[in-house]
Amino acid sequence: MLTTLIPEDVRTILGGLMSGGFETVLATAIAGIAYLASPEGQYAQEPAYKDIIDAYGSDEAAFQQAVTDEKSPYMAAFVRETLRYYAPLHILPPRQTYQDFEWNGVKIPKGVMVLANAQAINHGTKGPHGQLSPASS
């Protein structure tokens, strides 16, 4: 069945597309930098700097080359951990169950819309950057 969109439908769709711009990797990078500046994140600064210097030789070389390669294993892990913990898209696109099933004693019928909260899924007990430690540098 074909449905004609009315102007309100078009505005709603365009509004959704525009709001998606706020949920970007840039916002995630800002969260990672803010974490480094926090009291909890300061433990990561020294091993990160040491790993950068070991990988590139100097601040200047790292600044010029880090965009095109991943020579620093600690910083690569830090970036991945930041993307895991501060997911750019907090709520994943909706899914629909395709059959009846039971989960933790609860019966879920076919056709139920499921919204997965990526941010909640990725928050473990260790907190942001809990997988990193000074020993891993």
Side-chain angles (χ1 to χ4, degrees):
M1 180 171 141
L2 195 58
T3 304
T4 302
L5 295 175
I6 60 174
E8 287 79 16
D9 294 331
V10 174
R11 278 194 283 274
T12 300
I13 293 167
L14 291 175
L17 292 172
M18 292 299 292
S19 67
F22 300 116
E23 310 247 348
T24 65
V25 173
L26 176 61
T28 300
I30 291 168
I33 293 166
Y35 175 76
L36 283 173
S38 74
E40 297 84 15
Q42 299 216 356
Y43 81 88
Q45 291 182 26
E46 187 177 330
Y49 184 75
K50 180 184 178 318
D51 193 54
I52 289 168
I53 297 304
D54 290 348
Y56 294 98
S58 70
D59 297 342
E60 294 81 14
F63 185 78
Q64 292 172 359
Q65 299 171 24
V67 174
T68 58
D69 61 34
E70 290 185 7
K71 287 184 184 175
S72 170
Y74 190 91
M75 286 310 299
F78 180 85
V79 169
R80 288 186 189 102
E81 186 68 1
T82 299
L83 289 168
R84 179 194 70 81
Y85 197 80
Y86 303 104
L89 190 59
H90 301 273
I91 302 294
L92 298 177
R95 301 286 192 253
Q96 189 173 31
T97 57
Y98 61 91
Q99 65 184 20
D100 295 345
F101 69 97
E102 189 171 313
W103 185 71
N104 285 345
V106 177
K107 293 181 182 180
I108 310 293
K110 176 182 176 180
V112 170
M113 182 173 61
V114 177
L115 294 171
N117 183 337
Q119 184 124 5
I121 291 168
N122 291 327
H123 284 206
T125 57
K126 292 186 178 186
H129 308 96
Q131 307 301 319
L132 300 175
S133 68
S136 68
S137 63

